[in-house]
Amino acid sequence: MKKITIYLLLSLIIMSCKGQILDLSTIDFDKPANSYPLEKLKIYRKENQKGHYEIKEDKDGVSLDLKDNGERVLNYIFMDESTSQINFKGLNIDPILGAKIVNYNNKIGYISANIISKETPELINSLIKTLGQPTEVIYNERLEETLELGASKILFKTLPQFTKKQQNNIGNNIIKYSQRIIWNKNDVIYQLTLEPLNNLVGNDIKIISKKAFKDRIINGFHNPEKDPYLSKYLK
């Protein structure tokens, strides 16, 4: 009887773990990281990072090193089939490009994710609905002839206020579109990067706490004072 009870308990635990789904958009950066079932998810890779990043210059060039001042950072990487356990506002994570969640001293400090490209319009609409009008839009230009019609239609339909057809200074027809969309919300920065590719628009959403940014614990955001897009939001 005791063996049967233990077996049933183990079965329930396994079933509950399999049923865990985490919507990345619901993560509150002010709550303890252990409020979320990260340890119950099947993770592609988990990295234990001790310290923050520092840029080191010497005769051999420039390198990026970790310096341990007591920071404890856990990087959760989701790829392949592990992406089926997470989503962003119900939208599917691209299993090839994946997602990353960073636990910094028991607070979520960073989230990055790539939604499958066919769901980019839904991602854009949901972010604008939730966050409001962007704080900043950074534009890129493409010759109209090099931009596939499908991608062009998506940009004009989803972001008509940030997509323009015009001529450049030598008379070529170009499409000016929002390549980076930034929301500065209290202590958190959201950055959505868009990349027209064939007849789709790829996406890359990054959410970072200003503390994690200032403390240089995220690779890629390790030089906050000189970040060309986001440094102004730390002042």
Side-chain angles (χ1 to χ4, degrees):
M1 185 70 178
K2 187 176 181 181
K3 288 183 178 179
I4 294 174
T5 303
I6 292 172
Y7 175 79
L8 288 172
L9 286 171
L10 288 173
S11 298
L12 288 170
I13 291 170
I14 292 170
M15 289 176 66
S16 66
C17 290
K18 285 184 177 179
Q20 292 286 348
I21 298 291
L22 178 60
D23 180 349
L24 303 183
S25 72
T26 64
I27 291 178
D28 186 337
F29 283 31
D30 290 326
K31 288 185 177 179
N34 56 19
S35 302
Y36 302 98
L38 291 172
E39 296 296 336
K40 295 181 180 179
L41 299 175
K42 182 180 178 183
I43 300 160
Y44 179 79
R45 187 171 71 251
K46 179 180 173 181
E47 299 171 345
N48 188 3
Q49 174 185 318
K50 294 183 179 180
H52 64 278
Y53 288 98
E54 289 194 355
I55 299 171
K56 182 180 178 182
E57 298 184 24
D58 54 33
K59 61 181 181 179
D60 297 321
V62 179
S63 62
L64 193 61
D65 298 329
L66 281 171
K67 182 176 181 181
D68 189 355
N69 282 348
E71 305 96 337
R72 290 298 174 262
V73 183
L74 291 173
N75 299 298
Y76 297 87
I77 313 297
F78 296 85
M79 302 282 288
D80 301 333
E81 67 272 10
S82 68
T83 59
S84 64
Q85 301 166 99
I86 58 174
N87 62 67
F88 193 92
K89 293 183 178 290
L91 304 174
N92 295 304
I93 306 296
D94 188 310
I96 297 175
L97 299 173
K100 181 177 182 179
I101 303 173
V102 178
N103 175 348
Y104 173 35
N105 290 342
N106 199 31
K107 291 283 183 72
I108 301 300
Y110 177 74
I111 297 171
S112 70
N114 293 86
I115 311 305
I116 59 174
S117 295
K118 68 179 182 180
E119 295 182 348
T120 296
E122 289 84 355
L123 174 63
I124 295 170
N125 289 331
S126 64
L127 286 170
I128 291 178
K129 183 178 180 180
T130 303
L131 301 174
Q133 288 302 303
T135 306
E136 182 181 6
V137 175
I138 299 167
Y139 290 94
N140 193 15
E141 296 178 356
R142 286 273 298 273
L143 288 172
E144 185 177 9
E145 62 194 46
T146 68
L147 191 60
E148 295 287 345
L149 183 60
S152 177
K153 285 182 176 179
I154 291 170
L155 291 169
F156 275 105
K157 182 178 180 179
T158 312
L159 290 164
Q161 69 274 45
F162 305 128
T163 310
K164 303 170 186 178
K165 186 182 291 187
Q166 57 191 51
Q167 286 190 334
N168 61 16
N169 54 10
I170 59 174
N172 292 325
N173 292 327
I174 62 169
I175 292 178
K176 185 177 180 181
Y177 67 93
S178 48
Q179 186 173 46
R180 292 175 188 264
I181 305 174
I182 298 167
W183 290 268
N184 179 26
K185 293 290 180 179
N186 299 318
D187 296 323
V188 180
I189 301 170
Y190 297 74
Q191 178 180 259
L192 174 64
T193 303
L194 301 175
E195 190 59 48
L197 183 63
N198 299 325
N199 281 301
L200 296 169
V201 177
N203 64 79
D204 179 13
I205 176 71
K206 297 186 186 302
I207 310 170
I208 186 169
S209 73
K210 292 181 181 179
K211 178 172 176 53
F213 195 10
K214 289 177 181 177
D215 291 353
R216 305 168 185 263
I217 59 102
I218 306 298
N219 193 357
F221 293 87
H222 51 268
N223 197 3
E225 294 86 0
K226 294 185 179 180
D227 187 288
Y229 304 110
L230 304 182
S231 60
K232 69 184 80 171
Y233 299 114
L234 297 180
K235 297 175 181 177

